[in-house]
Amino acid sequence: MNIKLLNLNCRAATRLLSESLDRDLTRIERIGLRLHLIVCGACRAYRRQLAAMRRMIRRHLATGGDADSEARLSAEARERILKTIEGRA
Amino acid sequence: VGTVLRRVQRSCAGVEWSRITEATIQAEHLAAIAGSMDIAMPSAHEHGSPAEDFATPARIASGVSPSAWLNEHGDYLYGYALSRVRDAHEAEDLVQETLLAAMQGFASFEGRSSVRTWLTAVLRHKLQDRVRRLARGRHLPLPEDDHEAEAGIERFADARFDSAGKWKPAPIAWSPRAEEPADEAMTEELRRVLLDCLERLPTRSGAALDLAERAGMSLSQISNLLQITATNAGVLLHRARLALRECLEEKWFRER
């Protein structure tokens, strides 16, 4: 157990906030982070910003999301795809 | 057959036990072949490719009809692809790749889901492939001239904090309204700013962030893909997020 984890500065806390988005933190990491966030408004703001960045990227750029139901294949594209798949059949 | 067996065993007299066993097994194999005229070479159909497999009349009768899939689900697949890649040509290519893969893989479709659900699953797979290819092609191996950019973002990340490790300056709070623009034009503007800020990241940090946020991968998946340790991947992501945060604050949230 690393005693430093119970007395985090912002540099270490922001690193853990980032990690928490990509993996499960250990118990001691979670406790240390929670203690720091209680006393640090700047890191609480950063946590909200990390969440906001994730939401914005997911919503506007991600490879997930809702299908575009208005989209139509052009006649040319349809013809080209049909030729290709019939060529392979 | 018995003669063959005895001859093999005799010729092995004196060599160690495992060799004899091996020879005996071979002899028994020969015996089996000799004893049964039906057992010829492994039959040819076992080696047929999935594509050849597909073309059997039975398969066609059981529902492989790519042109019908194109008719019924083409627009849907295209819309789905377009919402992810935002480029018409790329989306068309993805539809084509999906239908081709679906033709080859039809054997694995057992009618447990609707054809559309199944085609969508194939498309999602293609989209994931594409993100991985993109990450590989663009970001691996690390280009020589990018070491400077990676060192730059490292200095940048260090400089966000003072010698005691405190923020300098502290992040300002972002307006929730700015995060969700009310109209189309503003949404498009936000999209452009986001892309622009992501584009500024050095290749490896940018790749790590793409994989985490756009492809939704975990730290272990990212470190596998980029062939770096999980610690290293964590550092790249941390720096990328600090840089993205500052870029968005400057270009989007500050004036709103």
Side-chain angles (χ1 to χ4, degrees):
Chain A
M1 192 209 290
N2 190 344
I3 199 71
K4 270 162 105 184
L5 277 171
L6 288 177
N7 187 21
L8 296 177
N9 60 26
C10 301
R11 186 193 295 276
T14 51
R15 170 75 199 281
L16 281 185
L17 280 172
S18 170
E19 294 261 322
S20 73
L21 297 177
D22 310 303
R23 67 168 171 89
D24 293 328
L25 296 185
T26 64
R27 194 177 151 74
I28 191 77
E29 285 171 335
R30 280 202 308 275
I31 295 169
L33 190 55
R34 207 174 301 152
L35 288 175
H36 180 83
L37 289 173
I38 289 171
V39 297
C40 182
C43 284
R44 287 199 300 274
Y46 185 59
R47 180 176 55 178
R48 283 194 298 275
Q49 292 175 345
L50 285 177
M53 290 196 287
R54 174 158 277 192
R55 277 196 302 275
M56 286 190 288
I57 293 174
R58 292 254 157 100
R59 186 169 310 147
H60 299 296
L61 305 174
T63 52
D66 290 330
D68 186 345
S69 57
E70 298 296 301
R72 295 285 175 267
L73 274 170
S74 68
E76 299 84 54
R78 192 176 283 274
E79 190 63 27
R80 195 175 61 241
I81 293 171
L82 191 63
K83 265 204 189 107
T84 310
I85 57 182
E86 283 180 340
R88 291 290 176 88
Chain B
V1 171
T3 318
V4 171
L5 201 68
R6 272 193 300 278
R7 202 185 307 143
V8 171
Q9 281 168 337
R10 213 170 28 239
S11 73
C12 290
V15 293
E16 68 267 38
W17 175 242
S18 65
R19 296 278 296 278
I20 294 173
T21 315
E22 203 178 308
T24 310
I25 292 166
Q26 278 171 9
E28 279 166 357
H29 185 60
L30 279 172
I33 291 171
S36 161
M37 298 302 286
D38 293 338
I39 300 175
M41 298 301 291
S43 53
H45 62 78
E46 283 178 48
H47 297 279
S49 73
E52 285 160 355
D53 246 24
F54 147 75
T56 62
R59 279 279 159 64
I60 290 170
S62 72
V64 182
S65 46
S67 56
W69 295 342
L70 179 63
N71 274 335
E72 288 166 36
H73 310 295
D75 287 335
Y76 173 80
L77 293 171
Y78 176 65
Y80 195 100
L82 198 60
S83 70
R84 269 74 172 171
V85 301
R86 305 264 164 192
D87 176 274
H89 285 291
E90 219 174 325
E92 288 164 6
D93 286 348
L94 277 163
V95 173
Q96 178 169 307
E97 276 180 50
T98 299
L99 292 174
L100 288 173
M103 285 161 66
Q104 294 214 338
F106 192 72
S108 67
F109 173 62
E110 290 162 344
R112 279 183 296 219
S113 58
S114 75
V115 171
R116 177 171 287 194
T117 307
W118 175 64
L119 288 173
T120 308
V122 177
L123 172 59
R124 288 183 66 90
H125 200 75
K126 290 280 156 201
L127 282 161
Q128 284 164 353
D129 270 359
R130 178 180 160 277
V131 173
R132 278 170 209 146
R133 259 203 321 274
L134 224 64
R136 278 209 193 87
R138 256 176 58 208
H139 307 296
L140 287 174
L142 181 60
E144 283 305 310
D145 64 356
D146 203 54
H147 287 299
E148 191 39 52
E150 295 289 346
I153 196 175
E154 184 177 353
R155 281 193 301 276
F156 167 86
D158 275 348
R160 293 315 96 199
F161 306 96
D162 66 19
S163 57
K166 268 184 113 58
W167 279 100
K168 73 160 194 204
I172 61 163
W174 289 353
S175 142
R177 263 185 322 118
E179 191 197 317
E180 289 177 65
D183 62 87
E184 278 296 304
M186 288 290 281
T187 305
E188 197 41 48
E189 175 78 6
L190 173 57
R191 233 180 71 75
R192 215 184 43 71
V193 169
L194 267 173
L195 281 173
D196 185 46
C197 287
L198 286 169
E199 204 57 41
R200 284 159 188 256
L201 297 172
T203 45
R204 285 222 298 189
S205 313
L209 198 67
D210 267 1
L211 296 173
E213 304 294 359
R214 299 177 77 172
M217 290 189 188
S218 72
L219 199 61
S220 57
Q221 289 174 311
I222 294 168
S223 51
N224 275 338
L225 195 56
L226 297 181
Q227 315 230 299
I228 52 181
T229 64
T231 307
N232 219 320
V235 170
L236 289 181
L237 286 165
H238 173 47
R239 289 175 189 159
R241 286 175 175 132
L242 282 173
L244 180 64
R245 188 207 77 80
E246 190 134 317
C247 183
L248 288 174
E249 188 160 295
E250 224 157 81
K251 288 172 169 292
W252 187 255
F253 286 97
R254 186 155 285 170
E255 308 138 41
R256 278 157 236 274

